[in-house]
Amino acid sequence: MAISPFQKTRAEYQPQAPSCLQDLQQLQSRFASMQPQLSADAKTASALGELFPHTFKQTERGLIEFGAFGDSAKNPGEARALHVGVVLSGGPAPGGHNVIWGIVDAIRSLSPRGRVTGFRGGPAGILANDAMQLSADSVQPYRNSGGFDLLGTSRSKIDTPEKLAKCRSVLEGLELDALVIIGGDDSNTNAAVLAEYLVGVGSAVTVIGVPKTIDGDMQNALVETTFGFDSAVRVYAELVSNISRDTLSGRKYYHFVRLMGRAASHITMEVALQTQPTIALIAEEVAAKKQTLYAIVTQIAEVVKERADQGKHYGVILVPEGIIEFIPEMRALISELNQIIAEHHEYLASLSGFTEQSEYLHRKLSRDTSYTFSGLPIDIQRQLLMDRDPHGNVALSRIETEKLLIELLVSHLNEEKAEGRYRGNFGYQHHFLGYEGRCAAPTNFDANYAYSLGRTAAALASTRATGYMAVVRNLSNNKAEWQACGVPLLAMMTLEQRGGTTKPVIKKTLVDLDGPAFQYFAEQRKSWVHADDFRYAGPIQYFGPLALTDRIPLSLALQHGGSPLTNW
Amino acid sequence: MAISPFQKTRAEYQPQAPSCLQDLQQLQSRFASMQPQLSADAKTASALGELFPHTFKQTERGLIEFGAFGDSAKNPGEARALHVGVVLSGGPAPGGHNVIWGIVDAIRSLSPRGRVTGFRGGPAGILANDAMQLSADSVQPYRNSGGFDLLGTSRSKIDTPEKLAKCRSVLEGLELDALVIIGGDDSNTNAAVLAEYLVGVGSAVTVIGVPKTIDGDMQNALVETTFGFDSAVRVYAELVSNISRDTLSGRKYYHFVRLMGRAASHITMEVALQTQPTIALIAEEVAAKKQTLYAIVTQIAEVVKERADQGKHYGVILVPEGIIEFIPEMRALISELNQIIAEHHEYLASLSGFTEQSEYLHRKLSRDTSYTFSGLPIDIQRQLLMDRDPHGNVALSRIETEKLLIELLVSHLNEEKAEGRYRGNFGYQHHFLGYEGRCAAPTNFDANYAYSLGRTAAALASTRATGYMAVVRNLSNNKAEWQACGVPLLAMMTLEQRGGTTKPVIKKTLVDLDGPAFQYFAEQRKSWVHADDFRYAGPIQYFGPLALTDRIPLSLALQHGGSPLTNW
């Protein structure tokens, strides 16, 4: 890998860990009741207790807090040489390398004989025993860098009895004390399953999760945000504000920008807060209002028409990639399609092309969804049928929803124009921003946060706790005051119907329409529609005034912070 | 407009003008022969002399140099209060606001009674007399910011006798001494036409051009680069290196990134030098080698196959947007399509949709181009027919060449796989980067360069020269040593066949395959194909070490500089 001056300079940045994690030799831990409580009603709790009999007990002991509590507390850092395994799982997020760096630093601080082993290529790398030793030296060139390329990653899972047994034998063969799984909701669910399995079979290897995802959909009352969200959002905000400035200069295009984020619209809402576009659709709001595709298109068309009357034939419209499954009729269509594909995938595969598959599906779809399907532009029909995700489902992220909206708007506005209700020319451009930001070099916030999560994971390993997630709280305060703790994975789990069976899963967090961040957004956006109040976010700055280099996401500040808006 | 902390902080940056332009009261100018010579053979020169009889004489006097030359030289800054008009033309480029700032500063330095008037919405704003006074105060919030939104822009032209006359009356009505046109090759051609017209009708208003374009296609022996190129390229390089890091982490996709830049591949080559992708296509090379679409696809497929044998099923491939018109059979097709559309646009418009238009065109196309057309994926056929640029031609920038290549590669690799010559799964993603970078806040280099160009334009206005372009040279040296001068627009012009008639135009500069930049690229790229030598460029930094903040494009350094690669 070529090392640019940027990388070289950036590698010199030393992230700061919370003061409670700075001297690991003196580290103490204690159990604390969870304040605030996580949800899990009694029925769910009881079901989880049956599914996870061994690790469930730990939920009752509550979260693990780290700090200096005086003589009464337990000191876990008893100079024991630990051997910790680490694996990256799922899509990359800025900061992954810093989590590993934090683990390596902390394990070596606990004892010079401590070791860290990395598994290559995601969880599949554990099964293949594709491992490498990680040292301060091997981590050095990856400090504060983006990407997961030090170890690689994948969406592979350890979810069958055979894989669980194989995993155990690899971990025990390497004489690991703990395995740290850095991943999103699925990967942390997998961590909980593996932790339970290992305790159940009498293995001493513990399992610890680390909350990663750019999508921001794993936040809750205890997990304030995931690492990577801040950096990815800042890249998208940079680009959206460049696009806003462009449309304000040329005044001839509506730019439709679809943003990554899977089901939830956290990324879109945060980018909107940072850039103040003309319109930002929020999938959760569409669902709450039960807005149809027609309703959404009409809503945008009204804005286009009103702006045309002011002589404005341009604007910026943000579209969360998850919106497609929150529009009632699209959700029904996708659900039916997935079911038909699952039941008839062999026959479908035997049909040679789009036309034949489309004809066949029309006969299988219900009357309503068939009607919905026929009304879609041909390109979108094709994307719905031809692109599948690794589970065989419709690949939602490949559906160009921004183009769907544009095509429907063009038809709608042509009609309005012909009938005299629209005076303007509807010029447009479309964009999809996702891969452009997932591997950015982490912001200072993410660099510090991810490094701290790594140290926390190592501290948890030293307590021998299993089935915990490394969590760092109090993030809107000074870094030194951040609180390191461990939260039982089960405390974040719920039961979901997936493919006909009930499965325990880490709850995916959607945008809370009653929360302070959305409420603030809903108030602010009123003026954006007509005022062209575009905010120019600029690229991530790593040097210079703290107001530029050490920000936190606005939604995080609104949700957890004091009064962040004065200098925002 | 909301002012972010980034914008606020960035507005405090004070660009530095070349030392010769710092004290405008002491400024001297002299004519100098052009070293190195610009091309223009005798025949072209004579034709230009006939077309531009009045301004042609100035070419003979050579370029205007600014500096402190002692008593013998003329001092143009005789405390005369100038009134200068300024207009932005064509697509935005980072630094446009700094050119205006430089003009405002310089005109006020020459005399406190000096004035600057801006025209809104491009050249059409002159004809509509849509003008605003520009002062230090009104420019203040736009300092070092991206976009052309202070005045707006458009691609409108002043090219008919009526428009020229109208333009004169507006300029004289405002009692302007000079008009500064900030634009690309077309806009500077227009500046030359307007300058000639005004001299011809006895008007005292002078016209000065400023070289702007992110595309980098207006560089020549005297104009080292255009403002905006550096900043736009840096944004694209940031994103391409994020994408490279992503593909190196997940190892499952080939990312096809189409990059703006119109006909020329300067942007793609510079981005490639900064990011070291697996493959970077260069349109000029495709043309020189007369590569067909099939040849290009085969060339990429060979790399995909070789990498698959090494277990690598990922990579990054850069595609210049201009490539489509450099592929011989596509060029022929586009040319025929444009001609048919021009001749039959009324009948074509009467045909209701793609299928009817397509059938009609097949009957009109020659046998070869009809064959080419039929071989294209249906989406691309549609884009060729349905999207037109403002001149009615095929809108080349809307053709998703990256998808064309992907579709052809998928077919090709499926065949190779079925026949046992390819072992792999070809996963892909596609991107188009353009609008994301045209309005970035200028880099320090562009901020300084654009501001210096503005001061140079004002200095030229004070000499009463007309038909000149403001030029700053020696850019790979220290800013203080940059040389400000004026180059006759006619010296950069040539004659081209456009739509059946001969037209004088500023020459568009393509990538020089024999030049040092391409030669260096051609040498370097050999190792990129297999070594995954991705270079991580990082986002534009405005603070911190000079090695990060004050770079120049590598191709510029290679073309004009000494030994820039040591610290690159």
Side-chain angles (χ1 to χ4, degrees), chain B residues 251-302:
Chain B
R251 297 177 169 248
K252 59 181 178 178
Y253 293 127
Y254 276 90
H255 289 266
F256 289 74
V257 187
R258 179 166 49 110
L259 290 162
M260 250 191 194
R262 302 212 295 180
S265 299
H266 299 289
I267 285 181
T268 298
M269 188 171 75
E270 178 67 30
V271 170
L273 287 168
Q274 295 193 17
T275 63
Q276 308 187 173
T278 316
I279 297 175
L281 300 173
I282 300 294
E284 291 82 347
E285 192 181 17
V286 165
K289 292 182 174 173
K290 296 192 171 55
Q291 284 190 293
T292 61
L293 202 46
Y294 177 79
I296 295 169
V297 168
T298 307
Q299 176 195 339
I300 299 173
E302 286 307 308

Side-chain angles (χ1 to χ4, degrees), chain A residues 2 4 146 148-149 238 242 245-246 249 398 403 428-429 431 435-436 438 441 533 536 540-542, chain B residues 2 4 146 148-149 153 238 242 245-246 249 398 403 428-429 431 435-436 438 441 533 536 540-542:
Chain A
S4 69
F148 275 11
D149 46 311
E238 172 198 358
N242 286 354
R245 201 98 196 205
D246 199 299
S249 302
R398 294 192 96 129
K403 286 196 188 172
Y428 57 83
Q429 296 287 344
H431 313 257
Y435 297 97
E436 288 77 3
R438 303 197 315 175
D533 203 16
Y536 189 76
I540 298 173
Q541 293 300 297
Y542 297 99
Chain B
S4 69
F148 276 10
D149 46 309
T153 185
E238 172 198 358
N242 286 353
R245 201 98 195 203
D246 200 299
S249 302
R398 294 193 95 131
K403 286 196 188 172
Y428 57 84
Q429 297 286 345
H431 313 257
Y435 297 98
E436 288 76 3
R438 304 196 315 176
D533 203 17
Y536 190 77
I540 298 172
Q541 295 299 296
Y542 298 99

